[in-house]
Amino acid sequence: MEIFRTRAEVHNYLNELRSPGRTVGFVPTMGALHQGHLSLIEAAKNKTSIVVCSIFVNPTQFNDKSDLENYPRPIEDDIRKLREVSCDVLFLPEVDEMYRSSDNWHIELDGLDIILEGEIRPGHYQGVTQIVKKLFDIVNPDYAFFGQKDFQQFMIISLMVKKLQMSVKLVRCPIVREKDGLAMSSRNVYLSEADRQNALALYKALTRAKTGFKDKSIAQVREEALDFLAASPGIEPEYFEIFNAETFQPAASKQEGTIIALVAARVGSIRIIDNMILTTK
Ligand code: AMP
């Protein structure tokens, strides 16, 4: 695996390798890699010829300074894991390689960036789109792979790609879960043993919503899920919403096509998000 730390090096390297029929697949991450990230690398390996992973803990998407400072950075382990899955290229820039001047630009995201996660983490999606735009410009991938785990992020990056008429095609990959259902996340390492057990309430709320969805109204499913979370030990629910997965607006009717439930909660001092498609077709 080639490792590059500057924009110019990775850009030039990929430009030389690229040829008709030789596609570049890209997996942007913030590191502390787990099986969820590695499943994206696998998906990229299956679809494209050259697989590029980036690891960059992007400061502009953190609105909580201590969350940024405490974000896990086990870089040696990450490099070993990427080698094990035969990733071809790792882009590993420092902050001043990605942000040299003041980056005050803003992408108009039609309000998708100020609801759900965006409401709780103001500015988060402006930071996400800023870094993903920069990374896309550097890597110039044919395909980029993202997890459904961050469903709102996927919708927002799709909107950015459409608005800026970027040529990259986005691939959404399924959520990888622990055996008991907890969605894998780099932040899970900070859960105490008790919180790790309590955190299962999010997955349970989602599976209950999916089971109940056939017979109950949208409002009823949502209310029962919030009640379930509020009654779960160690959980402080932030939201449980039922959205149209295509428009990313609250679902008004069960006949709208694909419908998704999205949940966020605090478990001890850690925020956890998860989601599940409720419609079966
Ligand atoms: P992050 O390092 O948290 O920025 O995540 C990098 C990419 O991995 C994003 O596209 C995430 O949606 C994806 N990802 C994170 N956790 C999972 C998971 N449990 N299953 C699938 N993809 C995931």
Side-chain angles (χ1 to χ4, degrees):
M1 181 171 73
E2 300 288 338
I3 302 178
F4 298 106
R5 292 169 195 275
T6 68
R7 299 165 174 243
E9 277 172 318
V10 71
H11 185 79
N12 295 341
Y13 179 80
L14 292 171
N15 268 358
E16 276 180 24
L17 285 188
R18 203 184 315 265
S19 62
R22 208 158 180 217
T23 49
V24 173
F26 181 41
V27 180
T29 80
M30 297 205 301
L33 302 179
H34 50 65
Q35 205 48 48
H37 297 112
L38 300 179
S39 75
L40 305 183
I41 305 278
E42 293 292 346
K45 288 211 68 87
N46 287 336
K47 199 170 181 72
T48 60
S49 331
I50 307 158
V51 175
V52 183
C53 176
S54 64
I55 296 181
F56 181 66
V57 182
N58 175 35
T60 70
Q61 73 188 67
F62 284 80
N63 45 345
D64 175 344
K65 203 165 165 265
S66 73
D67 187 23
L68 171 62
E69 280 164 7
N70 293 328
Y71 201 83
R73 292 168 171 85
I75 192 61
E76 293 308 321
D77 281 354
D78 286 350
I79 291 174
R80 181 180 48 74
K81 288 176 186 170
L82 289 173
R83 287 209 166 104
E84 277 169 13
V85 294
S86 307
C87 180
D88 299 303
V89 175
L90 169 61
F91 181 43
L92 191 59
E94 296 290 339
V95 171
D96 60 2
E97 183 66 16
M98 298 308 293
Y99 294 101
R100 277 185 185 166
S101 56
S102 68
D103 276 288
N104 292 326
W105 50 276
H106 176 105
I107 299 179
E108 180 47 49
L109 294 166
D110 298 353
L112 292 194
D113 55 331
I114 55 168
I115 56 174
L116 304 184
E117 284 305 286
E119 189 178 350
I120 292 165
R121 305 178 68 187
H124 171 66
Y125 287 116
Q126 285 302 326
V128 168
T129 44
Q130 213 167 54
I131 193 63
V132 173
K133 160 88 171 78
K134 281 170 185 268
L135 290 167
F136 280 179
D137 287 347
I138 295 164
V139 173
N140 193 13
D142 298 283
Y143 293 89
F145 298 79
F146 293 89
Q148 183 186 314
K149 165 82 186 346
D150 300 280
F151 188 81
Q152 186 173 3
Q153 168 173 284
F154 184 83
M155 297 305 283
I156 283 176
I157 293 169
S158 304
L159 181 65
M160 174 183 83
V161 163
K162 194 166 145 205
K163 285 200 165 200
L164 301 183
Q165 297 180 301
M166 298 171 126
S167 59
V168 59
K169 289 180 224 39
L170 304 182
V171 181
R172 194 180 88 201
C173 301
I175 301 176
V176 177
R177 299 181 178 280
E178 304 286 357
K179 274 204 188 79
D180 58 9
L182 181 70
M184 289 192 184
S185 162
S186 302
R187 288 186 177 88
N188 289 353
V189 294
Y190 292 126
L191 291 169
S192 68
E193 218 167 285
D195 286 339
R196 167 70 185 75
Q197 278 311 307
N198 293 340
L200 277 180
L202 278 80
Y203 177 66
K204 286 187 192 149
L206 290 168
T207 46
R208 287 164 71 116
K210 190 175 173 96
T211 312
F213 190 67
K214 279 185 248 56
D215 306 317
K216 295 176 183 168
S217 71
I218 290 176
Q220 202 179 356
V221 170
R222 178 173 174 272
E223 229 164 86
E224 286 183 9
L226 283 168
D227 288 347
F228 172 80
L229 287 168
S232 299
I235 300 286
E236 267 179 65
E238 289 182 336
Y239 61 77
F240 187 102
E241 296 295 342
I242 298 180
F243 267 43
N244 178 319
E246 279 123 42
T247 61
F248 209 65
Q249 296 300 320
S253 116
K254 285 163 75 174
Q255 275 70 53
E256 275 184 28
T258 309
I259 295 190
I260 187 167
L262 303 120
V263 61
R266 277 194 174 270
V267 186
S269 59
I270 307 295
R271 285 194 75 237
I272 295 210
I273 60 170
D274 200 349
N275 65 73
M276 192 175 282
I277 306 276
L278 301 184
T279 37
T280 45
K281 68 164 182 56

